[in-house]
Amino acid sequence: MLLKPLPALTILLLGSVTFAQQKPLSAIDKKVEALLAKMTLDEKIGQLNQYSADGLATGPLTENGNKFQQIKEGKVGAMLNVRGAKDTRMVQGYAMQSRLKIPLLFGLDVIHGYRTTFPIPLAEAASWDMRAIQSSARVSATEAAAGGIHWTFAPMVDIARDPRWGRVMEGAGEDPYLGSMIAAARVHGFQGNGLGNLDAVMACVKHFAAYGAAIGGRDYNTVDISDRTLWETYLPPFKAAADAGAATFMNSFNELNGIPASGNRYLQTDILKGKWHFKGFIVSDWGSISEMVAHGFAKDGKQAGEEAINAGNDMDMEGHSYINNLAQLVKEKKVPMSRVDDAVRRILRKKFEMGLFDDPYRFSNEDRESKVLNLAPNHEIARDVARKSIVLLKNDNELLPLSKNLKNIALIGPLAKADKDMMGFWSVMWENDHLVSLYEGLQNKLGNNTNLLYSQGCDVTDTSKRGFAEAIAAAKQAEVVIMAVGEHFDMSGEAKSRANIHIPGIQEDLVKAIVETGKPVVVLTMSGRPMIFNYTADHANAILQTWWLGSEAGNAIADVLFGDYNPSGKLPMSFPRSEGQIPVYYNYKSTGRPSQNDLGINYRSGYNDLPNSPRYAFGYGLSYTTFAFSDLKLSKNKFSKNESTTVTCTIKNTGPYAGEEVVQLYLRQLVGTVTRPVKELKGFEKISLKPGESKTVSFVIGKEQLSFYNQQMQWGTEPGEFRLMIGNSSDHILLQDKFELVN
Ligand code: BGC
């Protein structure tokens, strides 16, 4: 947003008012100031330096001497990838040998669980259930904190419109509104009742900013987007996370419109610390400061460090740019001492808030650790979130739910017995932890009366059809076939971009071979991203998108297959028909020649050879029951910008099963001084209804829902007509009306 300059007199007055009314220092601030006064420049720089433990590197390690010795010398402020009460206690012990005994922070990528593994974040986003998402983060934090961890590098809140980008699995999908709600839920979950509690870890909101807009979906790639797209699409979840009280932020590997994020003053100082009043600290991404040399933004590590700290980056993760150069940069007056002090203050404040100066080992307690990890109630929550994350994409002739009295079920596909793949890319990998495979989940669900006829058919990336004959034979003996196809856990994640996002290998050929047996086929698609599977979509009788669901994957899927849970998930990201459509997302603009019949023929915007629409749209997902939407009412059809209207509608469960529906509210401003998307999600509610039951849902629409950035990038409303749409998917609008905003 462009801010108008204030007249000089106002600045003077404001200045003196601020000075006179400056808040007294808080107890923590006083401690921070007292400690800062004792610190040498080298000790201050040490606080800004973060190293990874060598054993568990999550990025390329650079040798920089003996890390433990440097900790003893006060040259390290934080570690990452040290985990477990025993190891964190040991490493903290080195910090206690330093002159000022400033405790280390221990950070780790606790992204979808610590010991109990939860569904990948994209899967959880499909639940549209904020309570479930928050409780998943809560359990993860409780376990991680008991394992000596102070700080998780999550939530990742990057909006993603390109499923080729492997990191879509870590985020909440394509929509800024849903993404913002989820960002806040995760921050609240991780930070619980506040820093200082023994079950709370600091959240780290990442990757600031616009990392998800990497050109071509190639990880780490350049981002070049308009200020409007930045503010409307990519920044809202970051703002929501900052407002939710996130303790820290991480910047990102990408450049944004020519300036790498780590050296980007506009993002870090002007927006985050300035406009949004963020009081926590910013950590770089792994080596992202030194990578500004490869970007061509700095000539060497020294200049990179200078650019980063002056732009507002506080801590250097594995970049070695601060530890090697900052003292010299301060001496040369290229970096002001006040900036170094500000960065150190931000970090020390968090260490005080976490209670680490009272007891640096308070999180590193082996006794507590042994009592908190992997508990049955944690697994119950994981199972509940997992089944809520499953999306029913197709269910012809109500094939699902399956009866538990079937005699022979064929279980076919490379992921049918997979356990490790259920953990997803960012699990904290413990060798002795158990993940329930689909096969085991079915065994747990079904008694001895049902035969499970297993055949792998092929491997995920196989090119040979050798195993097909056995799989076909198994299918022929069964009353129904369940197929598990998709990606291995390490095919979507960091540095896992793919140009071809079809179900890998010959798996769809296997689906075809089984479909051709004539048996009813349920296909489970397991992946960390939207995949393309047109044959399956056309020919399988039922399809469940089951992502990677974590520790309880198999049990959760079995709950859904056999009707112990009625699926309620809705896609948080569009599933394309072809890579050629990417990026494909629901909140696109009309253009001057909007497509007709979904095709770009007759000089219309689109493709001649493929519809514009995705295979499965944002917000789409079926249930075993049916819901009727009716009685749309608006309290006002004409109102001014300081008023609001209340929208109500009634949802009735008209089918045979209890179930949940996500009622989705979309708006479109028909005419604006800048064009508006054809649809924007502005509200949703997930409701639960017994058969025959009705509920009235209401939404309030006011300034917040109706504002956008005008031509001057000022946030506000414009009078005009709006279309209001309510549906159970972005492409399935069931109720519509119009209203007018007047001056
Ligand atoms: C990733 C971050 C992660 C960090 C530490 C980087 O490569 O981009 O998301 O938190 O490594 O593991």
Side-chain angles (χ1 to χ4, degrees):
M1 168 140 70
L2 297 179
L3 296 171
K4 276 198 197 144
L6 294 170
L9 180 65
T10 326
I11 293 177
L12 269 179
L13 287 174
L14 277 177
S16 57
V17 169
T18 320
F19 187 67
Q21 293 182 345
Q22 218 164 34
K23 275 206 276 176
L25 288 182
S26 70
I28 283 188
D29 286 338
K30 280 187 194 151
K31 290 180 190 168
V32 169
E33 292 310 318
L35 180 54
L36 196 66
K38 290 187 203 148
M39 293 170 78
T40 63
L41 176 58
D42 284 345
E43 283 165 337
K44 289 177 182 176
I45 294 167
Q47 286 306 301
L48 312 184
N49 185 32
Q50 181 178 40
Y51 287 147
S52 171
D54 296 348
L56 240 191
T58 43
L61 277 170
T62 338
E63 195 34 62
N64 204 35
N66 180 339
K67 290 174 182 172
F68 294 158
Q69 181 55 33
Q70 291 187 55
I71 295 174
K72 292 182 196 166
E73 291 165 12
K75 291 182 175 160
V76 185
M79 291 294 288
L80 73 150
N81 295 335
V82 183
R83 58 174 195 191
K86 186 160 165 259
D87 285 359
T88 51
R89 174 172 285 268
M90 190 247 311
V91 179
Q92 193 68 290
Y94 299 134
M96 291 306 109
Q97 293 174 42
S98 65
R99 185 180 80 95
L100 291 172
K101 299 185 174 28
I102 301 177
L104 291 166
L105 286 172
F106 293 107
L108 189 71
D109 292 285
V110 183
I111 291 179
H112 46 105
Y114 182 71
R115 289 298 291 266
T116 308
T117 305
F118 285 84
I120 57 165
L122 185 64
E124 285 192 352
S127 74
W128 295 53
D129 185 327
M130 298 310 119
R131 218 173 311 157
I133 291 172
Q134 186 167 333
S135 52
S136 149
R138 189 83 291 278
V139 171
S140 305
T142 306
E143 289 196 352
I149 301 303
H150 308 137
W151 182 21
T152 173
F153 302 123
M156 188 273 221
V157 305
D158 297 308
I159 293 299
R161 291 169 160 181
D162 191 333
R164 292 171 298 182
W165 189 48
R167 298 199 81 165
V168 301
M169 53 84 44
E170 263 178 86
E174 73 188 38
D175 182 59
Y177 179 80
L178 178 63
S180 298
M181 303 285 285
I182 292 175
R186 291 207 162 113
V187 170
H188 290 308
F190 288 130
Q191 298 189 170
N193 288 330
L195 304 189
N197 286 292
L198 276 175
D199 61 358
V201 296
M202 298 194 295
C204 184
V205 186
K206 67 192 191 184
H207 304 84
F208 197 64
Y211 183 40
I215 293 174
R218 275 166 43 201
D219 209 359
Y220 317 123
N221 203 11
T222 305
V223 171
D224 200 330
I225 55 176
S226 69
D227 227 26
R228 174 169 312 285
T229 303
L230 176 70
W231 282 92
E232 286 187 355
T233 305
Y234 289 91
L235 288 184
F238 288 99
K239 174 71 164 60
D243 289 347
T248 73
F249 265 58
M250 183 187 291
N251 57 37
S252 52
F253 290 123
N254 58 286
E255 68 159 73
L256 172 65
N257 304 338
I259 303 174
S262 304
N264 198 313
R265 187 189 293 257
Y266 174 57
L267 287 174
Q268 300 178 96
T269 300
D270 299 350
I271 298 176
L272 182 55
K273 292 179 175 175
K275 195 172 159 53
W276 295 353
H277 307 291
F278 172 67
K279 297 281 179 279
F281 69 87
I282 304 175
V283 64
S284 75
D285 202 347
W286 181 298
S288 66
I289 298 179
S290 49
E291 287 174 18
M292 291 198 289
V293 176
H295 275 286
F297 190 71
K299 68 176 186 300
D300 52 22
K302 183 176 171 198
Q303 194 197 345
E306 175 189 342
E307 296 289 351
I309 192 149
N310 286 338
N313 178 103
D314 301 305
M315 187 182 278
D316 176 359
M317 179 197 286
E318 271 292 344
H320 309 273
S321 303
Y322 286 5
I323 195 72
N324 292 341
N325 305 298
L326 215 47
Q328 187 59 26
L329 286 164
V330 171
K331 276 187 207 114
E332 290 170 12
K333 302 212 173 335
K334 288 184 172 153
V335 172
M337 197 57 213
S338 57
R339 177 70 266 275
V340 175
D341 283 347
D342 170 56
V344 176
R345 275 191 191 99
R346 287 170 180 270
I347 292 161
L348 292 180
R349 202 178 290 137
K350 293 300 159 208
K351 293 185 176 184
F352 277 109
E353 287 174 15
M354 295 291 288
L356 295 176
F357 283 96
D358 300 328
D359 176 4
Y361 303 106
R362 62 195 296 259
F363 291 85
S364 305
N365 177 330
E366 283 184 75
D367 186 41
R368 191 174 50 247
E369 181 180 40
S370 67
K371 295 189 181 115
V372 170
L373 304 184
N374 250 337
L375 300 181
N378 299 358
H379 280 255
E380 268 312 303
I381 295 173
R383 181 169 178 165
D384 184 52
V385 184
R387 43 197 206 178
K388 287 178 170 154
S389 304
I390 295 171
V391 186
L392 178 62
L393 298 177
K394 185 175 182 186
N395 194 18
D396 276 1
N397 304 320
E398 277 128 49
L399 173 60
L400 295 176
L402 299 174
S403 155
K404 288 178 192 157
N405 297 322
L406 295 169
K407 288 280 166 277
N408 291 296
I409 297 178
L411 183 55
I412 293 171
L415 294 170
K417 279 196 173 175
D419 51 2
K420 206 165 81 182
D421 293 299
M422 299 301 109
M423 73 187 178
F425 185 83
W426 279 106
S427 93
V428 187
M429 292 226 217
W430 300 90
E431 267 150 33
N432 52 347
D433 278 350
H434 183 67
L435 294 114
V436 181
S437 70
L438 171 63
Y439 186 80
E440 285 174 294
L442 295 181
Q443 278 182 322
N444 296 342
K445 179 70 64 187
L446 301 166
N448 293 335
N449 292 340
T450 309
N451 286 324
L452 273 182
L453 308 163
Y454 166 75
S455 174
Q456 190 194 25
C458 62
D459 200 354
V460 165
T461 50
D462 254 358
T463 48
S464 152
K465 298 187 179 176
R466 255 192 326 264
F468 280 25
E470 183 198 280
I472 293 168
K476 284 186 175 159
Q477 290 172 56
E479 292 141 271
V480 67
V481 186
I482 299 170
M483 297 192 68
V485 296
E487 296 185 317
H488 281 310
F489 79 97
D490 57 357
M491 294 174 90
S492 288
E494 183 175 351
K496 303 294 177 199
S497 294
R498 295 175 71 83
N500 176 349
I501 60 162
H502 282 68
I503 294 184
I506 51 164
Q507 295 180 81
E508 271 215 291
D509 294 339
L510 179 63
V511 173
K512 184 162 184 280
I514 301 302
V515 165
E516 284 172 356
T517 63
K519 296 288 178 169
V521 179
V522 183
V523 177
L524 310 178
T525 46
M526 302 178 164
S527 59
R529 55 154 61 86
M531 293 186 299
I532 297 170
F533 40 86
N534 291 313
Y535 177 86
T536 305
D538 288 335
H539 298 281
N541 303 87
I543 306 171
L544 289 164
Q545 171 68 28
T546 67
W547 320 98
W548 296 321
L549 293 175
S551 302
E552 293 292 324
N555 287 333
I557 297 170
D559 286 343
V560 168
L561 284 170
F562 293 93
D564 290 331
Y565 181 79
N566 183 354
S568 63
K570 303 276 182 181
L571 296 178
M573 200 171 169
S574 309
F575 275 44
R577 298 170 192 272
S578 150
E579 289 89 356
Q581 292 180 306
I582 298 171
V584 57
Y585 47 91
Y586 85 95
N587 46 357
Y588 57 87
K589 299 286 189 75
S590 161
T591 79
R593 294 184 179 192
S595 157
Q596 278 172 349
N597 307 323
D598 214 14
L599 283 170
I601 46 182
N602 293 332
Y603 297 93
R604 295 277 164 179
S605 172
Y607 308 104
N608 281 206
D609 57 347
L610 201 68
N612 278 352
S613 59
R615 184 82 222 198
Y616 298 111
F618 171 81
Y620 173 77
L622 304 171
S623 164
Y624 295 154
T625 191
T626 46
F627 299 97
F629 286 51
S630 67
D631 297 328
L632 176 62
K633 288 192 195 93
L634 274 77
S635 64
K636 292 185 198 117
N637 279 79
K638 209 177 205 183
F639 56 98
S640 75
K641 67 177 176 196
N642 295 322
E643 296 175 317
S644 59
T645 185
T646 301
V647 182
T648 53
C649 65
T650 302
I651 319 297
K652 182 172 185 191
N653 183 343
T654 49
Y657 301 97
E660 291 154 277
E661 179 62 298
V662 181
V663 185
Q664 304 167 35
L665 177 135
Y666 297 90
L667 291 180
R668 175 180 183 181
Q669 178 145 28
L670 299 182
V671 181
T673 56
V674 296
T675 60
R676 305 302 307 143
V678 296
K679 229 172 252 164
E680 288 177 281
L681 182 72
K682 292 292 179 182
F684 64 86
E685 200 171 322
K686 187 165 189 173
I687 53 167
S688 166
L689 292 170
K690 297 193 190 77
E693 194 187 359
S694 297
K695 270 187 191 156
T696 298
V697 172
S698 70
F699 301 96
V700 177
I701 299 176
K703 213 192 264 173
E704 197 190 315
Q705 289 73 24
L706 303 176
S707 294
F708 62 94
Y709 292 97
N710 67 11
Q711 288 189 15
Q712 288 70 42
M713 289 301 288
Q714 287 156 340
W715 177 250
T717 56
E718 282 181 7
E721 219 177 353
F722 286 79
R723 181 175 303 143
L724 174 141
M725 296 157 271
I726 292 182
N728 59 13
S729 162
S730 66
D731 69 346
H732 200 209
I733 299 302
L734 296 155
L735 302 169
Q736 291 208 40
D737 203 344
K738 280 186 182 174
F739 62 84
E740 195 186 339
L741 189 68
V742 290
N743 255 332

